[in-house]
Amino acid sequence: MPINRNTLLRYKTIDRMLSRGRRATLQELIDACSDAVFEFNGYGDVSRRTIQHDIEAMRHSRELGYYAPIKVVDRKYYKYDDPNYSITDVALSEEDMRQLTEAVGLLKQMSSFRGFNDVEDVVNRLEDHVASMRFKVKPVILLESNDRLRGLEHITPLHDAIIDKEPLTITYKSFQWKTPQIFCFSPYILKEFRNRWFVFGRRHDAPDAKLHNLALDRIEEIAEAPRTEHYIKNPSFHPQEYFRDIIGVTRNMDDKVEHIVFRVSAQDVPYVITKPFHQSQREVSQMDDGSMVFSIDVIPNFELERDILGHGEHITILSPDSLAARIRQRLRSSIAKYEEEE
C-alpha cells in the first residue's frame, strides 16, 4: 500500500523527536505529530494507535528500508539505540535507484531535443551521482565549489521578489564604502558569473532609471520594503540583449560595442580556440610562427581586461588603441610593483 504524505510527515516528525540522542514519551510524539499534520493540512488529530503503528513500521519498514533502532527505556521513553541514526541518512532502495536511473535516461533523451539542450549539463551531473550511489564508485564529475562563498542565502528571497514583482529593502556594503547603505530595490534578474552571484535592478533612491548591479556577497540583509514603496517595472530591460555584448556583468549603458583585434601566441592558441573570450570571436589570420589573430565585438569592461591579462605575455591587443593603452598601463604598473620589491 503506498505511503501517503501524512504518514511520511509523521515518520519525519518522530525522527526529529528522537534524533541526536533525544527521547520522548508516546504522548509527546502524539502531540508533535498532531501539530505537524495540523500545520500541513489545517486539520487532523493523530491517535495513540496510529503513532504506535508508525513506530512499528519505522522499525521494520521493508518498503522504505528504515529499520529504525527505536527502543523503549524506563518503560516510558522512546529513543534511538544509535544516537547518530536518522531516517534521512538511509540509503535509497534498489527500487528507488531503478526509478532514478529510468528518470535520468528519459531526461537524457529529452536533452537531445531542441529546447531541452540547456539541461544536458544537469542531466550529466545527475547521472553521475546516481551511478556513484548505485555502483558505489567514486564520482567522475567534480564541480568547482567554494564553501566560503557568501550571499547564497539571498538567492531565494531575490528570486521570489522577481517572480512576485515585489520591492525589497537592501542593506548593502560595497568594497568602496566604509559603512553599509540601506535602500529600496526592485530586482529584475539574477546572474551567476564565475562562482559569484549578482542581482540587477533599480534603486528607488537613484535620480535616474539606471540599472544597478549588486553582488550578493556584499548584501548584508534583505527585508520587506515599506508599503509606501511600489515595484518599479522596466519593460525596456531585456536580459539577453543586455548581456549579449559584454563579458561578465559590468556594463555602462553609454558604452558602445567595439571591434577588438588581438594576436595570441602559438602556445595559447589552442586555449583561446577551445574557450573563446566571447560568442562573437572569429579567427582572422594565422602567422608563420603559429600565432593567430582573433577578433571579438564587445563592449570593453573590467572583466575583459582581466581575461586578457590572464594570458600574460601570450596575448597582444592590436586594436583599438584605447584598449591597448589600458592593458599596457596595467602591465607597467604591475612591473613597477615588482621593481619596488627589489
Side-chain angles (χ1 to χ4, degrees):
M1 179 179 178
I3 297 176
N4 60 38
R5 288 180 295 178
N6 284 350
T7 303
L8 289 175
L9 181 59
R10 295 196 305 270
Y11 289 171
K12 187 175 180 180
T13 303
I14 293 172
D15 179 69
R16 175 175 53 82
M17 295 286 290
L18 303 183
S19 62
R20 298 181 182 178
R22 288 174 291 193
R23 60 183 188 176
T25 65
L26 181 60
Q27 188 58 49
E28 288 172 338
L29 294 176
I30 294 171
D31 293 341
C33 289
S34 296
D35 291 342
V37 172
F38 181 83
E39 184 176 352
F40 183 77
N41 293 323
Y43 63 87
D45 289 326
V46 179
S47 69
R48 180 186 187 93
R49 184 173 180 179
T50 296
I51 297 302
Q52 289 175 327
H53 176 78
D54 288 344
I55 291 172
E56 286 304 305
M58 291 174 67
R59 282 171 170 162
H60 310 289
S61 178
R62 177 179 299 178
E63 186 171 13
L64 292 175
Y66 290 161
Y67 301 103
I70 301 174
K71 70 175 185 178
V72 180
V73 294
D74 300 332
R75 298 184 178 180
K76 181 178 181 180
Y77 299 101
Y78 290 89
K79 64 173 296 186
Y80 284 145
D81 193 31
D82 179 1
N84 296 318
Y85 177 85
S86 173
I87 62 174
T88 58
D89 296 330
V90 174
L92 293 173
S93 67
E94 185 64 26
E95 177 62 18
D96 293 332
M97 296 305 304
R98 185 190 65 78
Q99 293 182 6
L100 269 176
T101 303
E102 291 178 356
V104 170
L106 179 60
L107 284 172
K108 285 196 70 174
Q109 294 180 43
M110 292 175 63
S111 65
S112 64
F113 287 95
R114 182 179 180 181
F116 287 91
N117 53 339
D118 289 341
V119 306
E120 184 174 1
D121 180 55
V122 177
V123 172
N124 289 337
R125 284 180 282 168
L126 181 58
E127 181 181 31
D128 180 63
H129 184 62
V130 170
S132 67
M133 291 189 298
R134 184 163 196 169
F135 303 111
K136 302 186 185 304
V137 297
K138 293 181 179 179
V140 296
I141 298 177
L142 186 61
L143 300 176
E144 181 179 359
S145 63
N146 185 348
D147 294 336
R148 301 184 65 182
L149 192 64
R150 299 173 56 185
L152 298 182
E153 68 276 11
H154 301 314
I155 291 179
T156 297
L158 287 168
H159 173 270
D160 292 346
I162 294 171
I163 297 298
D164 298 334
K165 293 182 171 49
E166 294 287 345
L168 298 168
T169 297
I170 304 285
T171 303
Y172 190 79
K173 188 175 185 300
S174 169
F175 289 125
Q176 289 76 35
W177 302 341
K178 292 183 178 180
T179 58
Q181 293 186 358
I182 301 175
F183 49 84
C184 288
F185 187 78
S186 292
Y188 300 145
I189 192 168
L190 285 159
K191 180 173 175 60
E192 184 266 346
F193 180 67
R194 294 179 183 170
N195 266 349
R196 290 189 72 197
W197 282 88
F198 304 84
V199 59
F200 290 75
R202 169 79 182 276
R203 277 186 62 158
H204 291 201
D205 59 352
D208 52 27
K210 177 183 175 182
L211 195 68
H212 285 82
N213 170 15
L214 306 180
L216 266 62
D217 54 19
R218 306 309 301 163
I219 295 177
E220 297 189 349
E221 185 178 356
I222 295 179
E224 292 184 2
R227 293 188 176 182
T228 54
E229 296 287 341
H230 301 285
Y231 187 83
I232 302 175
K233 296 181 180 181
N234 188 351
S236 63
F237 173 59
H238 303 288
Q240 289 81 3
E241 296 180 9
Y242 183 87
F243 294 109
R244 180 183 57 202
D245 299 323
I246 64 172
I247 295 171
V249 295
T250 306
R251 174 175 178 174
N252 188 328
M253 293 303 294
D254 296 329
D255 292 339
K256 303 297 182 182
V257 174
E258 295 193 39
H259 185 64
I260 299 170
V261 182
F262 55 95
R263 183 173 63 245
V264 180
S265 69
Q267 178 178 324
D268 273 26
V269 162
Y271 299 100
V272 175
I273 290 177
T274 56
K275 188 179 180 182
F277 281 91
H278 186 259
Q279 62 186 6
S280 64
Q281 180 172 301
R282 299 290 183 271
E283 299 176 11
V284 178
S285 61
Q286 184 167 1
M287 307 290 114
D288 293 337
D289 60 358
S291 64
M292 291 190 68
V293 176
F294 297 86
S295 71
I296 54 175
D297 297 294
V298 298
I299 297 174
N301 62 3
F302 175 73
E303 289 91 331
L304 171 62
E305 293 184 18
R306 289 193 64 175
D307 281 357
I308 293 171
L309 291 169
H311 284 268
E313 72 277 15
H314 296 291
I315 189 168
T316 305
I317 302 299
L318 302 180
S319 66
D321 292 338
S322 57
L323 178 59
R326 287 199 300 274
I327 296 299
R328 279 197 299 268
Q329 182 56 47
R330 293 185 65 172
L331 289 172
R332 287 169 180 162
S333 297
S334 180
I335 292 172
K337 291 184 182 297
Y338 278 103
E339 292 175 342
E340 292 173 2
E341 298 295 326
E342 295 180 351

